[in-house]
Amino acid sequence: MELVVEESLEMLIYENRLQTFKGWPFDEDCKCTPENMAKAGFIHTPSDNSPDVAMCVFCLKELEGWEPEDDPEKEHKSHSPSCHFMALKKRVEDLTVEELFKLQLEMNIRKAEKKCNEVITKFREAASVKRAEIVKSATGEE
């Protein structure tokens, strides 16, 4: 694994996060404007069924179902209190190289944890299906 992954570093920059909010369903009359969402560490990750999904590039927490009065920073803190981005005391652009690497390390740990959890979930689902097939076969049920 490379020490520095350019793609993840690009999303550390506010302007790059802000650019992902094209088509965001909330405008300047709301608390969850694209600017406030990007300031809170989110990028816009819509799907066909959920046009208002946003994900923190730091802790990978995905939130949807936004309401115009939702404050992105408060929502982020309440749903992901251990997010290192929310704990920063300064702007990403003002971080030292050491602080930047620590932040990136935490990002990579979260990505690895998320991937591992996805694999574990898939394994458990497959094991459950297989168990049901074995029980069905052992009991002679069709």
Side-chain angles (χ1 to χ4, degrees):
M1 174 184 256
E2 294 180 25
L3 181 60
V4 177
V5 180
E6 291 297 323
E7 181 181 308
S8 65
L9 288 179
E10 287 177 7
M11 286 301 137
L12 290 175
I13 299 168
Y14 164 80
E15 288 80 12
N16 292 340
R17 292 193 306 274
L18 182 60
Q19 289 178 4
T20 69
F21 283 90
K22 291 179 176 43
W24 181 245
F26 300 98
D27 59 17
E28 53 282 330
D29 294 333
C30 305
K31 285 188 179 180
C32 56
T33 62
E35 294 78 12
N36 289 339
M37 296 295 289
K39 285 178 190 172
F42 289 109
I43 59 171
H44 188 204
T45 56
S47 67
D48 290 339
N49 298 334
S50 300
D52 69 339
V53 177
M55 179 183 75
C56 173
V57 296
F58 305 91
C59 68
L60 305 179
K61 182 67 175 178
E62 290 183 312
L63 298 176
E64 62 181 313
W66 291 91
E67 300 290 335
E69 65 278 358
D70 288 340
D71 181 314
E73 189 174 317
K74 287 180 183 176
E75 292 295 324
H76 194 168
K77 285 179 182 177
S78 72
H79 291 278
S80 188
S82 62
C83 179
H84 288 339
F85 174 74
M86 297 309 296
L88 289 176
K89 302 295 185 220
K90 53 185 167 180
R91 298 176 330 131
V92 171
E93 294 81 5
D94 297 331
L95 295 175
T96 65
V97 171
E98 182 180 0
E99 291 168 330
L100 184 61
F101 279 127
K102 284 182 181 178
L103 185 61
Q104 187 177 27
L105 172 63
E106 290 302 322
M107 289 170 58
N108 288 335
I109 289 170
R110 294 286 178 128
K111 286 178 184 176
E113 287 173 343
K114 184 176 182 178
K115 185 65 176 172
C116 287
N117 288 335
E118 288 171 357
V119 170
I120 290 168
T121 298
K122 285 181 183 179
F123 176 81
R124 286 185 173 150
E125 290 169 353
S128 178
V129 168
K130 185 54 99 175
R131 182 183 187 285
E133 289 173 4
I134 291 170
V135 167
K136 189 175 180 179
S137 175
T139 59
E141 295 178 14
E142 286 291 322

